[in-house]
Amino acid sequence: MAQTKPPADIATMSFEDALRELEQIVQKLEAGDVPLDDSIRIYERGAALKAHCEARLREAELKVEKIVLGADGPKGLEKADDL
C-alpha cells in the first residue's frame, strides 16, 4: 500500500497537537450531528492525523532503541515497550 504524505500543516504538528485534534474529531463524529460531507472531510483529516501520530511514535521508538544500544555497541537491546 502506497503511503501518501500528510498535509503540510499536519506534517509539522507535534505528536501532542495532532493527538489533541484527532480526539476532537472523534468527539465530533461520535456526536453524530455533523453533516455527511463534513463528516467525510474530517474523517479523512482524522486518518491523516492518526498516521502522523503513528509515524511520530515509531520515530520515538527507534530513538529509544538507539539509546539503549549505545555508542559502544549492543548492551542488550530492549524493546521500547519493555521500558
Side-chain angles (χ1 to χ4, degrees):
M1 181 182 338
Q3 188 136 9
T4 59
K5 290 176 74 172
D9 67 322
I10 291 176
T12 60
M13 282 182 156
S14 69
F15 173 82
E16 294 79 9
D17 289 342
L19 184 59
R20 192 174 306 112
E21 184 176 341
L22 180 56
E23 289 170 343
Q24 292 170 352
I25 287 173
V26 169
Q27 289 174 354
K28 286 180 186 178
L29 291 173
E30 285 179 344
D33 58 355
V34 180
L36 181 60
D37 288 342
D38 290 343
S39 293
I40 293 169
R41 180 183 50 76
I42 64 174
Y43 180 86
E44 290 171 343
R45 182 160 177 87
L49 288 162
K50 178 182 176 280
H52 176 70
C53 286
E54 289 172 344
R56 296 296 298 255
L57 284 173
R58 182 66 186 140
E59 289 170 15
E61 181 179 84
L62 291 174
K63 287 179 184 177
V64 168
E65 288 178 1
K66 285 180 183 178
I67 292 168
V68 170
L69 254 169
D72 299 330
K75 295 181 181 169
L77 180 63
E78 300 175 33
K79 294 268 242 181
D81 57 357
D82 294 338
L83 297 178

XYZ file of all heavy atoms in Angstrom:
636
model
N 0.853 -1.176 0.000
C 0.000 0.000 0.000
C 0.900 1.241 0.000
O 1.789 1.376 0.819
C -0.898 -0.045 1.249
C -1.829 1.120 1.324
S -2.908 1.219 2.792
C -3.022 -0.385 3.454
N 0.658 2.160 -0.897
C 1.462 3.378 -1.001
C 1.119 4.334 0.127
O -0.042 4.511 0.473
C 1.227 4.046 -2.345
N 2.152 4.913 0.684
C 1.945 5.877 1.769
C 1.932 7.276 1.171
O 2.827 7.653 0.439
C 3.064 5.750 2.792
C 2.796 6.570 4.023
C 3.110 5.781 5.268
O 3.677 4.706 5.202
N 2.737 6.295 6.407
N 0.902 8.041 1.502
C 0.815 9.403 0.998
C 1.339 10.362 2.051
O 1.296 10.077 3.245
C -0.638 9.767 0.643
O -1.443 9.627 1.810
C -1.170 8.852 -0.458
N 1.843 11.486 1.585
C 2.357 12.497 2.507
C 1.178 13.199 3.176
O 0.175 13.508 2.532
C 3.193 13.506 1.739
C 4.506 12.933 1.227
C 5.248 13.936 0.401
C 5.842 14.999 1.293
N 6.732 15.917 0.572
N 1.313 13.475 4.464
C 0.247 14.214 5.145
C 0.224 15.663 4.683
O 1.227 16.171 4.178
C 0.632 14.112 6.622
C 2.103 13.910 6.616
C 2.416 13.149 5.351
N -0.910 16.334 4.850
C -0.945 17.768 4.540
C 0.157 18.491 5.314
O 0.555 18.061 6.398
C -2.328 18.209 5.023
C -3.154 16.960 5.021
C -2.191 15.844 5.347
N 0.642 19.577 4.744
C 1.775 20.308 5.332
C 1.517 20.712 6.779
O 2.421 20.641 7.614
C 2.110 21.526 4.481
N 0.299 21.132 7.089
C 0.034 21.556 8.464
C 0.108 20.386 9.441
O 0.538 20.554 10.580
C -1.309 22.290 8.573
C -2.502 21.396 8.300
O -2.408 20.528 7.396
O -3.530 21.555 8.973
N -0.260 19.214 9.018
C -0.174 18.039 9.879
C 1.278 17.590 10.006
O 1.736 17.234 11.092
C -1.060 16.894 9.352
C -2.540 17.271 9.504
C -0.769 15.586 10.087
C -3.514 16.258 8.933
N 2.022 17.632 8.920
C 3.408 17.172 8.915
C 4.280 17.935 9.916
O 5.247 17.389 10.430
C 3.993 17.275 7.512
N 3.915 19.161 10.209
C 4.715 19.966 11.127
C 4.183 19.948 12.561
O 4.784 20.555 13.447
C 4.799 21.428 10.641
O 3.474 21.969 10.569
C 5.470 21.516 9.278
N 3.093 19.237 12.808
C 2.493 19.192 14.141
C 3.304 18.314 15.084
O 3.871 17.303 14.675
C 1.085 18.594 14.084
C 0.017 19.493 13.609
S -1.544 18.568 13.683
C -2.672 19.936 13.815
N 3.279 18.699 16.342
C 3.844 17.821 17.364
C 2.880 16.654 17.549
O 1.703 16.725 17.171
C 4.000 18.569 18.694
O 2.724 18.849 19.251
N 3.379 15.602 18.154
C 2.528 14.449 18.450
C 1.333 14.874 19.298
O 0.195 14.507 19.022
C 3.339 13.364 19.178
C 2.493 12.232 19.666
C 2.130 11.209 18.815
C 2.045 12.192 20.983
C 1.328 10.156 19.260
C 1.251 11.159 21.441
C 0.896 10.138 20.577
N 1.607 15.678 20.324
C 0.550 16.085 21.257
C -0.537 16.908 20.568
O -1.730 16.706 20.829
C 1.150 16.870 22.430
C 2.053 16.045 23.331
C 3.460 15.819 22.789
O 3.848 16.427 21.769
O 4.186 15.006 23.392
N -0.139 17.831 19.694
C -1.121 18.652 18.987
C -1.958 17.805 18.036
O -3.177 17.981 17.930
C -0.438 19.777 18.207
C 0.123 20.858 19.121
O -0.289 20.930 20.303
O 0.988 21.632 18.654
N -1.305 16.883 17.350
C -2.023 16.011 16.407
C -3.004 15.118 17.158
O -4.154 14.941 16.729
C -1.035 15.184 15.597
N -2.574 14.571 18.277
C -3.453 13.710 19.067
C -4.644 14.492 19.609
O -5.781 14.006 19.598
C -2.669 13.063 20.208
C -3.431 12.060 21.056
C -3.952 10.907 20.201
C -2.551 11.535 22.179
N -4.388 15.709 20.069
C -5.470 16.555 20.596
C -6.528 16.816 19.511
O -7.731 16.687 19.751
C -4.892 17.876 21.107
C -5.850 18.707 21.919
C -5.167 19.937 22.520
N -3.979 19.587 23.305
C -2.712 19.899 22.967
N -2.464 20.600 21.882
N -1.705 19.527 23.728
N -6.059 17.155 18.299
C -7.018 17.409 17.217
C -7.748 16.128 16.826
O -8.949 16.151 16.562
C -6.317 18.004 15.991
C -7.312 18.355 14.905
C -6.717 19.044 13.701
O -5.595 19.589 13.783
O -7.389 19.056 12.649
N -7.042 15.010 16.814
C -7.675 13.729 16.493
C -8.772 13.408 17.510
O -9.864 12.966 17.134
C -6.623 12.616 16.456
C -7.115 11.222 16.129
C -7.855 11.189 14.798
C -5.947 10.242 16.127
N -8.520 13.658 18.773
C -9.533 13.426 19.808
C -10.759 14.309 19.585
O -11.903 13.861 19.778
C -8.942 13.677 21.193
C -7.942 12.622 21.615
C -7.175 12.971 22.876
O -7.159 14.156 23.286
O -6.575 12.054 23.465
N -10.551 15.550 19.170
C -11.678 16.448 18.886
C -12.499 15.930 17.707
O -13.738 15.990 17.726
C -11.176 17.857 18.593
C -10.575 18.548 19.795
C -9.872 19.846 19.454
O -9.692 20.191 18.296
N -9.436 20.577 20.473
N -11.820 15.410 16.705
C -12.517 14.861 15.534
C -13.360 13.660 15.945
O -14.521 13.535 15.539
C -11.507 14.504 14.417
C -10.997 15.791 13.769
C -12.125 13.571 13.382
C -9.871 15.597 12.773
N -12.790 12.786 16.750
C -13.524 11.603 17.210
C -14.774 12.027 17.971
O -15.862 11.479 17.760
C -12.620 10.688 18.065
C -13.431 9.614 18.771
C -11.526 10.065 17.204
N -14.648 13.023 18.831
C -15.809 13.501 19.591
C -16.892 14.038 18.663
O -18.082 13.753 18.850
C -15.388 14.584 20.584
C -14.576 14.052 21.738
C -14.031 15.152 22.635
O -14.158 16.339 22.348
N -13.400 14.756 23.729
N -16.494 14.803 17.641
C -17.470 15.345 16.688
C -18.181 14.228 15.945
O -19.407 14.253 15.790
C -16.785 16.267 15.672
C -16.391 17.603 16.205
C -15.718 18.424 15.105
C -15.180 19.722 15.642
N -14.479 20.509 14.609
N -17.424 13.244 15.492
C -18.026 12.148 14.738
C -18.926 11.288 15.617
O -19.992 10.851 15.177
C -16.942 11.295 14.071
C -16.178 11.976 12.939
C -15.027 11.102 12.472
C -17.102 12.315 11.773
N -18.509 11.071 16.864
C -19.329 10.284 17.782
C -20.618 11.000 18.138
O -21.639 10.359 18.386
C -18.542 9.944 19.043
C -17.509 8.862 18.831
C -16.709 8.545 20.078
O -16.717 9.345 21.045
O -16.043 7.496 20.085
N -20.590 12.324 18.172
C -21.794 13.094 18.495
C -22.859 12.904 17.418
O -24.051 12.983 17.699
C -21.454 14.568 18.656
N -22.421 12.674 16.186
C -23.361 12.378 15.110
C -24.129 13.558 14.567
O -25.069 13.376 13.801
N -23.765 14.773 14.924
C -24.518 15.929 14.450
C -23.756 16.719 13.384
O -24.004 17.898 13.186
C -24.925 16.824 15.614
C -23.737 17.309 16.428
O -22.609 16.885 16.151
O -23.956 18.106 17.359
N -22.826 16.042 12.686
C -22.053 16.681 11.635
C -22.637 16.245 10.293
O -22.890 15.062 10.085
C -20.564 16.257 11.731
C -19.742 16.906 10.636
C -20.001 16.592 13.100
N -22.894 17.186 9.388
C -23.408 16.816 8.067
C -22.486 15.803 7.379
O -21.270 15.776 7.627
C -23.419 18.140 7.303
C -23.469 19.198 8.357
C -22.722 18.630 9.523
N -23.047 14.981 6.517
C -22.315 13.900 5.879
C -21.042 14.365 5.181
O -19.971 13.781 5.379
C -23.220 13.165 4.879
C -22.563 11.989 4.151
C -22.096 10.927 5.138
C -23.518 11.405 3.134
N -21.132 15.407 4.351
C -19.941 15.881 3.637
C -18.842 16.320 4.610
O -17.666 16.041 4.392
C -20.290 17.031 2.683
C -21.079 16.561 1.477
O -21.063 15.338 1.186
O -21.708 17.403 0.818
N -19.235 17.001 5.673
C -18.265 17.426 6.687
C -17.687 16.211 7.424
O -16.500 16.185 7.744
C -18.898 18.381 7.691
C -19.207 19.738 7.078
O -18.660 20.062 5.999
O -20.003 20.482 7.687
N -18.533 15.220 7.679
C -18.062 14.006 8.344
C -16.975 13.323 7.524
O -15.953 12.886 8.075
C -19.213 13.021 8.563
O -20.138 13.512 9.486
N -17.188 13.237 6.229
C -16.195 12.604 5.352
C -14.895 13.397 5.369
O -13.804 12.834 5.487
C -16.755 12.463 3.922
C -17.899 11.459 3.926
C -15.654 12.045 2.945
C -18.704 11.429 2.651
N -15.015 14.712 5.280
C -13.829 15.565 5.259
C -13.044 15.449 6.559
O -11.823 15.267 6.550
C -14.240 17.030 5.017
C -13.077 18.006 4.971
C -13.556 19.446 4.795
N -14.606 19.850 5.739
C -14.411 20.159 7.024
N -13.202 20.127 7.525
N -15.411 20.521 7.796
N -13.725 15.510 7.697
C -12.989 15.446 8.960
C -12.509 14.020 9.250
O -11.488 13.840 9.899
C -13.764 16.061 10.153
C -15.037 15.310 10.472
C -14.031 17.524 9.909
C -15.746 15.797 11.727
N -13.214 13.010 8.728
C -12.739 11.635 8.881
C -11.410 11.464 8.143
O -10.467 10.848 8.664
C -13.767 10.642 8.346
C -13.311 9.213 8.485
C -13.533 8.504 9.656
C -12.625 8.583 7.451
C -13.090 7.199 9.798
C -12.177 7.278 7.588
C -12.423 6.593 8.749
O -11.977 5.305 8.892
N -11.328 12.028 6.934
C -10.084 11.955 6.164
C -8.950 12.663 6.904
O -7.820 12.178 6.942
C -10.269 12.559 4.776
C -11.148 11.710 3.872
C -11.524 12.386 2.567
O -11.382 13.638 2.454
O -11.961 11.685 1.652
N -9.255 13.797 7.486
C -8.231 14.512 8.259
C -7.831 13.683 9.480
O -6.658 13.598 9.831
C -8.735 15.887 8.682
C -7.682 16.680 9.446
C -7.948 18.147 9.449
N -6.966 18.877 10.242
C -5.808 19.313 9.793
N -5.485 19.118 8.531
N -4.962 19.967 10.576
N -8.798 13.069 10.115
C -8.512 12.210 11.256
C -7.598 11.053 10.881
O -6.685 10.699 11.634
N -7.825 10.469 9.715
C -6.971 9.372 9.250
C -5.542 9.871 9.043
O -4.575 9.177 9.385
C -7.539 8.775 7.964
N -5.394 11.073 8.495
C -4.063 11.647 8.291
C -3.396 11.951 9.635
O -2.197 11.716 9.813
C -4.148 12.912 7.435
N -4.159 12.446 10.595
C -3.626 12.714 11.930
C -3.189 11.422 12.613
O -2.130 11.364 13.243
C -4.660 13.442 12.786
C -4.916 14.899 12.413
C -6.234 15.382 13.019
C -3.764 15.780 12.864
N -3.987 10.380 12.474
C -3.661 9.082 13.064
C -2.357 8.554 12.483
O -1.471 8.092 13.220
C -4.792 8.091 12.820
C -4.525 6.703 13.349
C -5.701 5.778 13.010
C -5.434 4.354 13.429
N -4.591 3.615 12.501
N -2.212 8.625 11.168
C -0.988 8.153 10.513
C 0.221 8.959 10.990
O 1.300 8.408 11.229
C -1.137 8.237 8.998
N 0.032 10.266 11.156
C 1.112 11.128 11.634
C 1.514 10.738 13.058
O 2.710 10.620 13.369
C 0.669 12.593 11.575
C 1.668 13.555 12.129
N 2.852 13.826 11.498
C 1.661 14.300 13.264
C 3.541 14.710 12.219
N 2.838 15.014 13.289
N 0.547 10.512 13.913
C 0.841 10.113 15.299
C 1.577 8.781 15.324
O 2.547 8.617 16.077
C -0.453 10.014 16.111
S -1.181 11.606 16.534
N 1.137 7.829 14.508
C 1.803 6.532 14.464
C 3.250 6.670 13.998
O 4.151 6.028 14.540
C 1.035 5.575 13.563
C -0.286 5.123 14.162
C -1.148 4.336 13.196
O -0.894 4.368 11.964
O -2.102 3.681 13.669
N 3.487 7.524 13.003
C 4.845 7.740 12.495
C 5.725 8.383 13.565
O 6.883 7.991 13.752
C 4.816 8.600 11.236
N 5.173 9.360 14.269
C 5.951 10.029 15.333
C 6.282 9.049 16.462
O 7.379 9.069 17.010
C 5.185 11.237 15.894
C 4.931 12.373 14.915
C 6.199 13.047 14.422
N 6.961 13.668 15.471
C 7.035 14.964 15.701
N 6.390 15.809 14.921
N 7.768 15.432 16.686
N 5.335 8.175 16.799
C 5.598 7.179 17.833
C 6.680 6.204 17.382
O 7.563 5.834 18.170
C 4.326 6.408 18.180
C 3.320 7.138 19.050
C 2.036 6.320 19.173
C 3.889 7.431 20.423
N 6.636 5.794 16.131
C 7.656 4.873 15.608
C 9.041 5.538 15.630
O 10.024 4.901 15.994
C 7.288 4.422 14.190
C 8.264 3.444 13.598
C 8.259 2.125 14.356
N 9.317 1.270 13.827
C 10.093 0.496 14.545
N 9.924 0.429 15.846
N 11.022 -0.239 13.994
N 9.100 6.812 15.258
C 10.370 7.544 15.312
C 10.916 7.565 16.739
O 12.112 7.350 16.961
C 10.187 8.980 14.816
C 9.940 9.119 13.340
C 9.535 10.538 12.949
O 9.712 11.477 13.759
O 9.028 10.705 11.827
N 10.043 7.824 17.693
C 10.468 7.864 19.099
C 10.948 6.486 19.556
O 11.958 6.375 20.256
C 9.316 8.349 19.983
N 10.255 5.449 19.141
C 10.655 4.086 19.499
C 12.045 3.772 18.951
O 12.884 3.199 19.648
C 9.630 3.101 18.953
C 9.929 1.654 19.287
C 8.872 0.726 18.739
O 8.974 0.355 17.549
O 7.954 0.377 19.489
N 12.305 4.158 17.713
C 13.621 3.918 17.117
C 14.716 4.681 17.855
O 15.816 4.166 18.062
C 13.612 4.280 15.633
C 12.769 3.356 14.738
C 12.711 3.913 13.319
C 13.290 1.937 14.755
N 14.409 5.911 18.269
C 15.390 6.696 19.028
C 15.712 6.028 20.354
O 16.873 5.971 20.771
C 14.877 8.117 19.257
C 14.902 8.982 18.017
C 14.364 10.356 18.305
C 14.304 11.198 17.036
N 13.717 12.520 17.284
N 14.695 5.526 21.034
C 14.907 4.857 22.313
C 15.752 3.602 22.103
O 16.672 3.329 22.875
C 13.557 4.506 22.987
C 13.759 3.549 24.160
C 12.851 5.771 23.437
N 15.475 2.852 21.049
C 16.254 1.649 20.772
C 17.718 2.002 20.500
O 18.617 1.288 20.933
C 15.648 0.867 19.620
C 14.358 0.179 20.015
C 13.679 -0.569 18.885
O 14.219 -0.583 17.750
O 12.613 -1.142 19.131
N 17.967 3.115 19.818
C 19.341 3.539 19.560
C 20.035 3.935 20.864
O 21.210 3.647 21.061
C 19.379 4.710 18.579
C 19.103 4.301 17.160
C 19.164 5.504 16.238
C 18.801 5.105 14.818
N 18.812 6.261 13.909
N 19.323 4.592 21.743
C 19.898 4.987 23.034
C 20.264 3.741 23.840
O 21.338 3.665 24.427
C 18.924 5.892 23.819
C 18.778 7.236 23.114
C 19.381 6.060 25.257
C 17.633 8.090 23.636
N 19.372 2.768 23.855
C 19.615 1.541 24.601
C 20.805 0.803 24.008
O 21.629 0.250 24.724
C 18.351 0.651 24.615
C 18.662 -0.728 25.171
C 17.250 1.310 25.428
N 20.918 0.821 22.666
C 22.054 0.184 22.008
C 23.354 0.835 22.431
O 24.338 0.170 22.698
C 21.904 0.300 20.483
C 21.504 -0.968 19.767
C 21.140 -0.684 18.332
C 22.563 -2.026 19.847
N 23.380 2.154 22.484
C 24.551 2.894 22.926
C 25.631 2.988 21.864
O 25.625 2.297 20.859
N 26.581 3.851 22.102
C 27.655 4.113 21.158
C 28.668 2.976 21.113
O 29.378 2.810 20.132
C 28.356 5.423 21.518
N 28.754 2.192 22.169
C 29.746 1.119 22.251
C 29.216 -0.224 21.753
O 29.822 -1.251 22.014
C 30.229 0.957 23.698
C 30.892 2.219 24.213
O 31.476 2.959 23.399
O 30.801 2.473 25.422
N 28.101 -0.220 21.090
C 27.537 -1.464 20.576
C 26.420 -1.985 21.453
O 26.032 -1.350 22.435
N 25.925 -3.161 21.099
C 24.779 -3.723 21.828
C 25.041 -3.879 23.320
O 26.090 -4.328 23.733
C 24.584 -5.088 21.166
C 25.233 -4.981 19.845
C 26.376 -4.003 20.014
N 24.072 -3.450 24.086
C 24.122 -3.615 25.545
C 22.909 -4.410 25.988
O 22.398 -4.209 27.070
C 24.135 -2.254 26.242
C 25.364 -1.439 25.952
C 25.310 -0.141 26.702
C 26.549 0.665 26.368
N 26.499 2.017 26.812
N 22.405 -5.238 25.111
C 21.180 -5.959 25.412
C 19.995 -5.116 25.003
O 19.377 -4.473 25.822
N 19.731 -5.089 23.720
C 18.645 -4.274 23.172
C 17.339 -4.612 23.860
O 16.962 -5.777 23.985
C 18.542 -4.509 21.665
C 17.482 -3.746 20.909
C 17.759 -2.246 20.991
C 17.443 -4.168 19.456
N 16.691 -3.587 24.372
C 15.392 -3.736 24.987
C 14.362 -3.112 24.088
O 14.575 -2.056 23.518
C 15.354 -3.031 26.344
C 16.362 -3.556 27.325
C 16.370 -2.736 28.598
O 15.299 -2.246 28.987
O 17.444 -2.566 29.178
N 13.257 -3.760 23.920
C 12.164 -3.196 23.158
C 11.651 -1.962 23.893
O 11.601 -1.955 25.114
C 11.021 -4.198 22.990
C 11.389 -5.393 22.159
C 11.068 -5.171 20.833
C 10.210 -5.781 19.926
N 10.298 -5.136 18.660
N 11.253 -0.956 23.137
C 10.800 0.290 23.742
C 9.602 0.068 24.662
O 9.475 0.722 25.686
C 10.451 1.305 22.662
N 8.714 -0.876 24.325
C 7.544 -1.079 25.172
C 7.876 -1.857 26.444
O 7.053 -2.004 27.316
C 6.420 -1.766 24.411
C 6.819 -3.114 23.807
O 7.988 -3.514 23.929
O 5.943 -3.763 23.191
N 9.098 -2.355 26.574
C 9.531 -3.029 27.794
C 10.137 -2.081 28.800
O 10.507 -2.473 29.893
C 10.554 -4.125 27.473
C 9.933 -5.255 26.667
O 8.700 -5.398 26.710
O 10.681 -5.996 26.000
N 10.336 -0.805 28.419
C 10.989 0.158 29.309
C 10.046 0.675 30.358
O 8.906 0.745 30.222
C 11.553 1.341 28.496
C 12.635 0.962 27.510
C 13.072 2.204 26.740
C 13.837 0.365 28.218
